[in-house]
Amino acid sequence: MTTTTQPGLGQITGNVLFYSQPEPLTPELHGKLGVKRMDGPFTFAKVGHAIPLTVGEFPLAAVTGPIIFVGDEKLPIAVMGLNAGENMFVRDNGMFEPGVYIPAYVRRYPFVFANDSANNQMVLCVDRKAEFIVEGGDMPFFENGQPSEYTKNCIEFCNNFEIERQRTLSFVQILKDLDLFEQKTANFTPMNPDGTPGEPQKIADYFGVSEDKLNKLPTEKLVELRDNGALSQIYAHMLSLVGWDRLIALAMARAPQEPVAANA
């Protein structure tokens, strides 16, 4: 995959989670800029209640919360909050709660690749609105007009993320081809003042792997999924769904009111 930090896309358009003003990274525009060190660098992620996830992250992310699939593309998402725009695991000081898995999508910010189809290359972009991008930052983007060691490491991280993203698309396609997806609903049952269960309330609609469909696969298909590594990722996803209870428990502990329904 060819990558570049040279302009070729102009102003980037579209709505990408966390990115307010992505620009192709160039010495002309960003030669004096860099990233300043912050004690709490993840304030931007407080609005990410549903964060894109790659398949290789499933085992680690499963211990934090539900891994679900959304939209027509059935793209995997790490659910990190019950209410839209509210990440339950990011503290007010911009740090994640201890022990919480931080998705690679978050860790690559403020960088992102954009596709320059005209030149058949990926262009490295940076979110100019990121609060930790400043003039004379601790980690400059460029040194003597060339990408700094920091920027080179970020390019490598973004390259690896893109490889994992493509691998994730292939994984999802396998699940589609085997017709393993089914519509699922996450519900919350509040307690009445007298201690009896109240009316169940819907928290989210999403897609997940059907255990029944998985169990009915021919043995040779199960062996194939085992051998290509997909089966362990499927199980990680299925086990992660108990995380809905964790999110609900956290919401109940932090606020007396019931969580507001939000489709992830």
Side-chain angles (χ1 to χ4, degrees):
M1 177 173 54
T2 302
T3 60
T4 179
T5 59
Q6 298 303 312
L9 293 177
Q11 180 64 39
I12 308 300
T13 59
N15 185 17
V16 182
L17 179 64
F18 302 147
Y19 296 84
S20 299
Q21 188 181 324
E23 302 171 345
L25 186 65
T26 69
E28 293 77 16
L29 290 175
H30 312 102
K32 297 181 180 180
L33 302 180
V35 170
K36 68 176 179 179
R37 291 186 174 89
M38 297 178 61
D39 292 334
F42 298 114
T43 301
F44 68 91
K46 284 182 67 67
V47 299
H49 77 292
I51 298 177
L53 203 65
T54 61
V55 66
E57 299 178 275
F58 280 22
L60 294 171
V63 302
T64 294
I67 299 169
I68 64 175
F69 299 84
V70 299
D72 293 337
E73 298 300 317
K74 310 292 194 302
L75 297 181
I77 294 291
V79 180
M80 307 197 83
L82 297 180
N83 301 325
E86 180 183 339
N87 189 320
M88 298 173 67
F89 299 112
V90 179
R91 295 174 170 179
D92 291 338
N93 63 2
M95 293 296 292
F96 273 84
E97 295 284 353
V100 168
Y101 178 72
I102 304 175
Y105 186 95
V106 172
R107 287 181 278 123
R108 74 170 179 173
Y109 185 84
F111 293 96
V112 64
F113 272 139
N115 184 37
D116 179 5
S117 54
N119 297 307
N120 192 30
Q121 64 184 8
M122 302 294 287
V123 177
L124 185 69
C125 298
V126 65
D127 186 3
R128 186 63 184 84
K129 290 291 187 179
E131 66 171 332
F132 41 72
I133 293 180
V134 297
E135 187 167 333
D138 299 304
M139 294 166 284
F141 293 141
F142 295 93
E143 295 174 340
N144 300 319
Q146 297 300 315
S148 66
E149 193 65 27
Y150 168 74
T151 298
K152 290 177 183 178
N153 290 336
C154 292
I155 291 174
E156 182 179 3
F157 187 92
C158 289
N159 266 324
N160 292 335
F161 183 88
E162 181 62 21
I163 291 170
E164 285 299 300
R165 191 183 70 84
Q166 294 297 331
R167 193 164 75 91
T168 301
L169 295 177
S170 298
F171 169 77
V172 170
Q173 190 59 52
I174 289 173
L175 303 189
K176 287 181 178 180
D177 292 343
L178 294 175
D179 189 30
L180 291 180
F181 285 114
E182 68 176 0
Q183 185 83 36
K184 292 179 178 287
T185 301
N187 293 313
F188 163 68
T189 303
M191 298 300 291
N192 293 322
D194 61 2
T196 59
E199 285 293 322
Q201 299 179 14
K202 183 189 297 184
I203 294 175
D205 288 317
Y206 62 97
F207 292 100
V209 172
S210 165
E211 185 175 359
D212 184 58
K213 290 182 178 181
L214 181 65
N215 291 337
K216 290 180 179 178
L217 284 178
T219 301
E220 60 270 21
K221 284 296 181 183
L222 287 171
V223 170
E224 184 179 324
L225 290 174
R226 181 200 67 190
D227 291 346
N228 65 22
L231 191 59
S232 61
Q233 310 293 17
I234 290 172
Y235 285 140
H237 148 68
M238 295 171 70
L239 289 171
S240 79
L241 297 182
V242 301
W244 286 115
D245 291 337
R246 180 190 183 192
L247 294 182
I248 291 169
L250 280 174
M252 295 299 291
R254 293 177 181 180
Q257 67 269 26
E258 299 160 4
V260 179
N263 288 335

